[in-house]
Amino acid sequence: MASKVTIILGGAASGKSEFAEQACVKTGKNKIYWATSQIFDLEMKEKVARHLTQRGPDWTTIEDPYTAATAFENTQPKDVVLMDCATMWLTNHLIAEHNLEKETDRLLSAIETCPAEVIVVTNETGLGIVPENALARRFREAQGRLNIALAAKADCVVLVAAGLPMVLKGAL
């Protein structure tokens, strides 16, 4: 991928993270992985361990659930940064009751000014039924708005379903 900013979205377990990792590898650049998840239970701990093993040792991993500046500082054009994922980042801010509009603006600004190529993984949550509770509805709406904002800034947007990529904007 030759795009400066690429958004890769799809449903849960759609193959989007693996596709994003391979896109990073194909750039030939120094690979930086921005892990936004927080480990609260054994299941998540095991998932993170699987992802680390899958990526291998030639990635620099930055663990920060909130701050894009941490992941993007000191990057250079010879780097590619993979944010995995914007959905966990949004969830972290939502649960912490941060101002989502302000945090989204900070994220978009950090992506826009990052000298490295940026690939963002995010979940498409708007294809299901309307959630029954207010928090889930608020999350779904916020995720949709975040995805729209990310896609507007991106050079390339790819939807991954069943492990298959479909380009929505730009080109691979």
Side-chain angles (χ1 to χ4, degrees), residues 93-157:
H93 284 291
L94 182 68
I95 298 301
E97 298 183 8
H98 295 161
N99 180 316
L100 297 182
E101 186 176 330
K102 183 177 175 181
E103 295 303 333
T104 297
D105 288 346
R106 285 182 181 161
L107 173 65
L108 295 172
S109 178
I111 289 171
E112 197 168 18
T113 60
C114 181
E117 182 171 345
V118 178
I119 299 177
V120 178
V121 172
T122 187
N123 285 312
E124 175 52 65
T125 59
L127 298 175
I129 61 172
V130 176
E132 68 167 272
N133 68 74
L135 178 59
R137 288 190 300 273
R138 182 173 174 226
F139 167 75
R140 185 188 67 162
E141 291 299 317
Q143 184 66 62
R145 286 190 300 275
L146 176 60
N147 287 347
I148 290 167
L150 287 167
K153 297 283 185 186
D155 302 295
C156 180
V157 179

Side-chain angles (χ1 to χ4, degrees), residues 84-100:
D84 196 358
C85 77
T87 305
M88 291 301 295
W89 173 89
L90 177 68
T91 300
N92 297 336
H93 284 291
L94 182 68
I95 298 301
E97 298 183 8
H98 295 161
N99 180 316
L100 297 182

